[in-house]
Amino acid sequence: MRPRAGASLEVQLGPLRLRNPVVMASGTFGYGLDLRGIVEPQWVGAVVTKGLSLEPWTGHAPPRLVETPAGLVNAIGLENPGVEAFVQHVLPQLSATGATIIANIVGKQVEEYAQVARRLDGTGAVAAFEINISCPNVKEGGATFATSPVTAARVVAAVRAVTRRPIFVKLAPMGADPVEVARASAAVGADGFTVANTYPALVIDTRSGRPALTAGVGGLSGPAVRPLSVRLASEVYRATGMPIIGSGGVETIRDALEYFLAGARAVAVGTATFHRPTAALEIVEGLRDHLETAGAASFEAWLDSVVPRVERRPAPEEQAFRFLQQTGAVLEGHFQLSSGLHSDRYVEKFRLLERPGVAEAMVRLLALRLLDLPAEVVVGPATGGILLAYELARQLGVSRAFFTERVGGRMQVRRGFSLPPGARVLLVEDVVTTGGSVMETAEAVEEAGGQVVGIGCLIDRSGGRFAPPVPFRPLVRLELRTHPPEACPLCEQGIPLSDPGSRRIR
């Protein structure tokens, strides 16, 4: 069933150019060679390979597939021969067909994703990567990385560090908010998203009373999930404005059009292939008919005419500035800072911290700056640091967090908090002016046996004067004019002095 000529179906999917917007979904088309003679790999927009891991994975024992009235529940367990076997024995054949190859990669550790991507990138035969952070039927890897936006971003950042090729993140429909996962992934280098993976599902054999699948829970795909994934595709597109491959229940041209109208620029055909191997090609032909009926010269021209463009999400620092403006956290007047200097502006961090949603979003943006620091404990100076330390630890997936206190004018580790010798500690502060408090905290941590591996803060207003001996990653750099008390123009003008700081509290 060779595609016929007609209106151009080419589409730009971020940095990736596809011959048409219909791709073969990962796990349902093997490695692109099984259906040759029926569906040639080069006839579709791209072939997304079955998941590839660093070492061979055996997957789950049968039974691992069960039909439902409107789909399929599978628990294959990402069985694959490993990336090296794929590169040696499969990739040359698939590449020779002229297909556009998107490699789906999986791992049990963040480093494994990077290693697989590096090996495939070196072949020059792979056009892009689809990062599977969301498989619902494996006990290690996969779904664990989709449980928070920051842990998902850690995987994306690791892959981005080893390749310049386009990266598409396969979002999980359950777990952490897919929109927030998408935003975090975009901030560290993702080029687009596949929306969405299968949905965790359980089928029970009523005769035995046990799960129908050996693995128990599997992933539901097929027509039943399409309305759910169309909604997610729409939400992710409206939140990010980034390229989306719509996935889930795509069986007909009507299904594909739903995804396109929701903001997707391509669709992935999966479960339909099992009972109708030519489904993807039928959708390609149906799309060509649709364009002819609509009088469109090309797919992209039609898409641009029916789907409003959405602005890309601003960079993290710009987002943070917007939060500062929205909460009124930057005050104007005449202030005495904790350093003793005077300034015409003061950052009232509690305007941010009193709003849990804003604080969570700000800390998430900060966490994306700190992904590479190998922290085992997060510590913050009191008072704002208490809130930040616990929230940052939660988002980074660090198991411990505590705070230091000033006693007798000296920062100390108290209240039974302790550190094992050599524990890697990440310090977090709300606002850094001179860095005095955070360096006192660093000293207290080291006296307690810890090793400071980095410092993060929401706002750096030191003007570049704070340069600690460890990595320092502020979210926002805010330039504020400061004056010594004896040469303060605000004092000379008689403007009343306000002292909002807390450092002098004993």
Side-chain angles (χ1 to χ4, degrees):
M1 184 178 177
R2 182 186 297 274
R4 71 180 192 277
S8 171
L9 298 184
E10 289 190 2
V11 62
Q12 194 70 36
L13 196 65
L16 186 64
R17 189 74 177 172
L18 302 182
R19 57 176 57 88
N20 64 61
V22 182
V23 307
M24 305 307 294
S26 174
T28 61
F29 198 58
Y31 293 108
L33 302 172
D34 297 349
L35 292 180
R36 294 203 67 182
I38 301 174
V39 180
E40 296 297 329
Q42 69 273 23
W43 290 351
V44 294
V47 172
V48 186
T49 69
K50 185 171 169 52
L52 292 164
S53 56
L54 185 62
E55 302 293 340
W57 285 9
T58 56
H60 297 307
R64 51 189 191 176
L65 288 171
V66 61
E67 289 189 64
T68 69
L72 186 70
V73 178
N74 88 86
I76 304 299
L78 296 174
E79 177 181 338
N80 77 95
V83 66
E84 194 58 41
F86 172 79
V87 169
Q88 294 295 329
H89 305 296
V90 180
L91 185 57
Q93 299 177 62
L94 181 56
S95 179
T97 67
T100 297
I101 304 168
I102 301 176
N104 179 285
I105 59 176
V106 300
K108 297 177 181 178
Q109 305 292 333
V110 172
E111 295 75 15
E112 292 182 15
Y113 283 87
Q115 288 176 273
V116 173
R118 184 186 292 110
R119 181 68 179 95
L120 292 169
D121 186 80
T123 67
V126 171
F129 295 102
E130 181 180 77
I131 302 180
N132 186 352
I133 58 168
S134 56
C135 184
N137 59 64
V138 290
K139 298 185 185 305
E140 294 181 279
T144 61
F145 296 109
T147 54
S148 93
V150 175
T151 54
R154 184 174 277 119
V155 177
V156 178
V159 175
R160 175 49 72 210
V162 301
T163 182
R164 294 185 178 180
R165 298 186 191 279
I167 294 174
F168 296 89
V169 180
K170 194 164 191 176
L171 298 177
M174 314 295 280
D177 182 350
V179 169
E180 294 304 326
V181 172
R183 286 171 171 163
S185 299
V188 296
D191 295 291
F193 310 99
T194 298
V195 186
N197 210 327
T198 55
Y199 291 68
L202 176 65
V203 176
I204 295 177
D205 182 340
T206 55
R207 292 170 297 178
S208 67
R210 295 191 298 269
L213 302 177
T214 301
V217 172
L220 175 64
S221 61
V225 307
R226 187 183 64 254
L228 302 173
S229 291
V230 169
R231 175 186 64 83
L232 285 179
S234 175
E235 290 180 353
V236 172
Y237 176 67
R238 286 186 283 110
T240 67
M242 295 180 66
I244 290 171
I245 301 172
S247 179
V250 180
E251 300 227 344
T252 67
I253 180 58
R254 182 186 180 282
D255 303 333
L257 292 174
E258 277 197 64
Y259 276 106
F260 295 143
L261 293 171
R265 296 186 67 82
V267 292
V269 179
T271 300
T273 305
F274 291 130
H275 63 85
R276 210 169 78 250
T278 58
L281 298 182
E282 293 169 20
I283 292 171
V284 171
E285 295 307 302
L287 182 57
R288 207 179 297 279
D289 291 340
H290 180 79
L291 297 181
E292 290 177 2
T293 301
S298 69
F299 172 69
E300 287 192 319
W302 172 79
L303 196 61
D304 289 341
S305 71
V306 296
V307 180
R309 288 283 183 176
V310 175
E311 288 188 16
R312 288 286 187 96
R313 183 79 171 172
E317 187 168 1
E318 184 180 347
Q319 294 178 50
F321 270 116
R322 291 184 182 181
F323 284 129
L324 291 175
Q325 294 171 342
Q326 292 169 6
T327 59
V330 179
L331 309 179
E332 295 187 357
H334 182 191
F335 305 99
Q336 180 170 326
L337 308 179
S338 59
S339 62
L341 298 174
H342 292 195
S343 178
D344 62 346
R345 289 196 293 174
Y346 178 78
V347 179
E348 182 47 88
K349 67 258 187 173
F350 285 104
R351 293 282 180 90
L352 295 170
L353 300 180
E354 71 181 359
R355 301 189 185 187
V358 172
E360 179 184 8
M362 288 282 281
V363 174
R364 180 177 301 130
L365 294 174
L366 176 60
L368 297 177
R369 299 277 179 93
L370 306 170
L371 293 176
D372 61 318
L373 300 179
E376 298 171 291
V377 185
V378 180
V379 175
T383 306
I386 296 174
L387 303 177
L388 296 179
Y390 284 91
E391 178 61 18
L392 183 60
R394 184 184 71 83
Q395 296 210 30
L396 286 173
V398 174
S399 60
R400 292 189 65 207
F402 62 81
F403 56 92
T404 57
E405 297 174 272
R406 194 180 303 284
V407 180
R410 185 169 178 271
M411 201 69 79
Q412 297 181 30
V413 174
R414 301 179 66 234
R415 301 183 185 272
F417 294 135
S418 63
L419 291 167
R424 298 187 298 271
V425 177
L426 175 63
L427 302 184
V428 61
E429 177 66 291
D430 40 39
V431 181
V432 168
T433 302
T434 64
S437 293
V438 75
M439 292 312 295
E440 289 178 43
T441 301
E443 183 179 347
V445 164
E446 290 168 357
E447 288 179 356
Q451 173 192 356
V452 177
V453 296
I455 300 171
C457 75
L458 292 183
I459 301 167
D460 172 23
R461 49 170 295 172
S462 71
R465 293 184 296 275
F466 180 59
V470 295
F472 175 48
R473 310 275 178 78
L475 176 57
V476 172
R477 296 186 187 274
L478 193 61
E479 296 295 331
L480 302 180
R481 293 190 300 272
T482 58
H483 315 280
E486 64 275 11
C488 176
L490 302 170
C491 291
E492 293 175 2
Q493 297 171 37
I495 300 175
L497 178 66
S498 175
D499 182 6
S502 61
R503 184 172 178 179
R504 287 163 293 283
I505 298 176
R506 298 290 187 264

